[in-house]
Amino acid sequence: MIFLFEDKEDDTLSCLLRRAFDTTSTQFIYANGNGRLVEKATELLKKEDRIIVLLDTVPANKSIRDVYVSLRRLSRQNDYRIIVWNIVCAEYYFIKAFGEVEELEAFESNTDIDIIKSKGSYLESALIVTEEDKAFTKTFEKFCKLYILKNGGECVNKSKIFFFEDCVQNESCRNLSIEEKSEMYKREYKCFETDECSVEEAWKIHDKLLAEANQMIEKYNRLGYKEILLYPSIK
């Protein structure tokens, strides 16, 4: 199967996740933005049997729902050869994996990590201080990005060696290989139990992730964020 991501191939989190896979049997394709997912999926349908599209499903964002509806239509028009997995966002899983790991300098603080873990309301977060912060933090995904920018350590935000090198034992960090880090990150997605899965299993994951995404959308609708309709199942 082909995994189609909306991210950039050289993004640090893309690189970290990819290390956890056997790339001889698993192929990752990147669209460089969710606005190109439909175009890229259409192109891949000409030569691939099945495509799993990982879509960052952000509450209070109608444009992303429109992308999903277009992918759903494309799947239905092509014998359901496109399976969408509605993930939260790469940053969310990174924070879940490393935000509270002791003896690591990945994060200098865990201020408001409970908001991330509960997928809660972030409008009153202590991390949103300036008008620039407010303008930046329009969605939960953007809040996750802000969380990393405000709480992340030097090895994450500046040198970025956390994503490419082993953590070496010192007074602040413990030994943690890049392979171990990539596995820890992969594990948080909860949809990569094996490098490969059957078509039936892939659809079960679609149903599970879609239900979780709709629960998050319902929560944000109730909290007073921009209200959007729930996502329909593809099948």
Side-chain angles (χ1 to χ4, degrees):
M1 269 184 201
I2 300 296
F3 290 104
L4 175 59
F5 291 80
E6 65 181 68
D7 308 305
K8 295 181 179 179
E9 183 173 3
D10 61 355
D11 181 83
T12 52
L13 288 175
S14 298
C15 294
L16 183 63
L17 179 63
R18 200 161 54 243
R19 289 191 72 111
F21 287 81
D22 177 2
T23 53
T24 62
S25 62
T26 304
Q27 188 175 356
F28 284 11
I29 305 293
Y30 299 87
N32 295 322
N34 64 26
R36 297 193 66 244
L37 277 173
V38 176
E39 174 190 348
K40 194 68 178 177
T42 302
E43 176 187 323
L44 289 170
L45 281 170
K46 298 174 183 177
K47 55 184 179 179
E48 303 295 344
D49 180 44
R50 301 279 173 180
I51 305 159
I52 295 177
V53 180
L54 288 98
L55 178 66
D56 290 4
T57 306
V58 182
N61 190 313
K62 183 180 180 299
S63 64
I64 296 177
R65 187 183 186 279
D66 292 342
V67 172
Y68 174 82
V69 169
S70 296
L71 288 167
R72 178 177 183 259
R73 183 185 305 115
L74 190 62
S75 181
R76 290 180 155 199
Q77 291 170 343
N78 290 273
D79 300 319
Y80 299 100
R81 289 162 53 211
I82 293 175
I83 305 169
V84 179
W85 286 359
N86 299 93
I87 61 174
V88 181
C89 65
E91 292 80 9
Y92 166 79
Y93 301 110
F94 181 73
I95 296 165
K96 288 266 289 179
F98 301 105
E100 295 181 295
V101 177
E102 294 183 0
E103 299 177 13
L104 272 188
E105 292 184 330
F107 287 90
E108 296 176 349
S109 167
N110 60 8
T111 299
D112 284 341
I113 195 169
D114 287 341
I115 295 175
I116 302 289
K117 290 164 61 178
S118 66
K119 303 176 188 174
S121 176
Y122 53 82
L123 291 180
E124 304 304 320
S125 169
L127 299 175
I128 301 176
V129 179
T130 66
E131 289 302 316
E132 185 178 5
D133 291 339
K134 293 177 183 178
F136 177 79
T137 314
K138 295 298 186 184
T139 65
F140 182 80
E141 180 183 23
K142 289 290 189 178
F143 178 67
C144 290
K145 291 179 185 290
L146 183 75
Y147 183 95
I148 294 173
L149 287 171
K150 292 287 185 91
N151 289 335
E154 189 276 340
C155 60
V156 167
N157 285 326
K158 294 182 180 178
S159 69
K160 301 188 185 298
I161 61 173
F162 184 88
F163 304 98
F164 302 103
E165 298 181 13
D166 298 343
C167 292
V168 180
Q169 184 80 36
N170 58 39
E171 60 184 22
S172 302
C173 292
R174 60 185 171 91
N175 286 329
L176 199 62
S177 71
I178 186 64
E179 287 77 17
E180 289 174 306
K181 289 187 285 186
S182 61
E183 282 292 340
M184 290 170 65
Y185 179 43
K186 172 186 174 183
R187 198 177 305 133
E188 290 301 328
Y189 276 79
K190 309 296 184 186
C191 57
F192 295 123
E193 298 301 327
T194 60
D195 284 9
E196 296 184 33
C197 66
S198 68
V199 174
E200 182 181 3
E201 289 168 339
W203 279 113
K204 287 180 180 178
I205 292 171
H206 162 75
D207 292 339
K208 178 178 180 293
L209 293 177
L210 181 65
E212 292 175 358
N214 279 331
Q215 288 172 5
M216 191 175 179
I217 289 167
E218 287 181 316
K219 177 192 285 189
Y220 272 70
N221 286 349
R222 290 195 303 270
L223 288 169
Y225 289 76
K226 182 178 180 180
E227 188 166 341
I228 64 171
L229 297 173
L230 300 183
Y231 285 42
S233 178
I234 292 176
K235 284 190 173 182

